[in-house]
Amino acid sequence: LGTRTLQGPVRVQAFRGAVGSSAMTPDSATTSNEAAGESEPPSGLAPRDAALRQTEEQLEFALHAGRMGSWELDLTTRRFTTSEYCRVVFGLGPDDPFETVEDLTALIVPEDRQKRQDAIARAIAQRTEMEVEYRTRRPDGSVGWVLARGRAAYEDGRAVRMAGISMDITARRAAEERQSLLIWPESKPTLGFF
């Protein structure tokens, strides 16, 4: 991102990005004239805003096509922000509570909670990508599988947030289970006519 100087008082607006997080960018800045309803934004802002919106739409389309939901976790406040499709991955509707680590943890099968926490701690300590698969208990009572991938962001050497994607891998895990039942181990005795 480049820098630019704006004339007059500036108001920065927060917006909800494609990855489901609130963010402030220089491109969301408006002059006091624009805030007052005057039509012309500072030179160059309109094309940048349009390009930013297009990029966000493309990202959201690609994530949805890949059946991935995006999320961001503030490691200080423990606030968990998700895209709409991320909620679908966990079997949630748009009004279901899903804003904190505690909301997320409540959906994870108890036996898999530590595995998820260990993956996060390891990724932060080693400054690597986090990847973990775990089971969830959906509000309708069904059990699903989620693949979560993410990476931490650091400020002054300290992890402050983590962002990533979550995928519903329930169908894949069921197919793997069925396949494992069809494969005969080499040590299995053969029948006399083989």
Side-chain angles (χ1 to χ4, degrees):
L1 290 177
T3 60
R4 72 175 178 277
T5 304
L6 298 175
Q7 300 293 324
V10 174
R11 179 174 54 102
V12 176
Q13 297 175 323
F15 70 96
R16 194 146 188 83
V19 295
S21 63
S22 294
M24 286 187 238
T25 68
D27 291 337
S28 64
T30 58
T31 65
S32 58
N33 291 346
E34 186 180 349
E38 296 178 17
S39 60
E40 286 299 314
S43 154
L45 280 185
R48 283 185 174 181
D49 287 347
L52 179 60
R53 275 191 301 279
Q54 182 179 5
T55 301
E56 288 175 345
E57 289 170 4
Q58 289 170 339
L59 176 59
E60 192 65 36
F61 180 80
L63 287 170
H64 192 73
R67 297 179 183 242
M68 294 180 274
S70 57
W71 52 265
E72 184 172 322
L73 172 62
D74 183 317
L75 296 169
T76 305
T77 65
R78 301 176 56 84
R79 182 156 173 79
F80 188 59
T81 307
T82 65
S83 68
E84 185 177 325
Y85 197 78
C86 189
R87 291 171 167 276
V88 171
V89 167
F90 286 88
L92 299 172
D95 297 327
D96 292 326
F98 201 48
E99 298 175 353
T100 65
V101 172
E102 290 75 21
D103 293 336
L104 171 62
T105 301
L107 294 172
I108 298 172
V109 171
E111 297 81 21
D112 290 356
R113 291 175 183 170
Q114 190 61 49
K115 175 171 56 169
R116 182 189 138 273
Q117 190 56 38
D118 291 347
I120 292 171
R122 189 172 40 256
I124 290 172
Q126 297 174 359
R127 293 180 178 248
T128 60
E129 184 175 290
M130 181 269 305
E131 183 172 326
V132 63
E133 295 181 7
Y134 52 84
R135 294 168 293 165
T136 61
R137 173 82 53 197
R138 296 177 176 154
D140 67 4
S142 65
V143 173
W145 279 90
V146 170
L147 165 64
R149 288 186 179 130
R151 184 172 286 275
Y154 300 83
E155 289 180 10
D156 298 323
R158 187 176 69 92
V160 293
R161 67 182 173 87
M162 184 170 253
I165 58 100
S166 291
M167 283 177 70
D168 182 349
I169 59 167
T170 306
R172 186 195 88 195
R173 292 297 294 235
E176 289 171 355
E177 179 75 21
R178 284 190 303 274
Q179 185 176 13
S180 72
L181 296 174
L182 295 175
I183 297 174
W184 289 34
E186 290 180 23
S187 63
K188 191 165 187 121
T190 60
L191 300 175
F193 53 85
F194 280 91

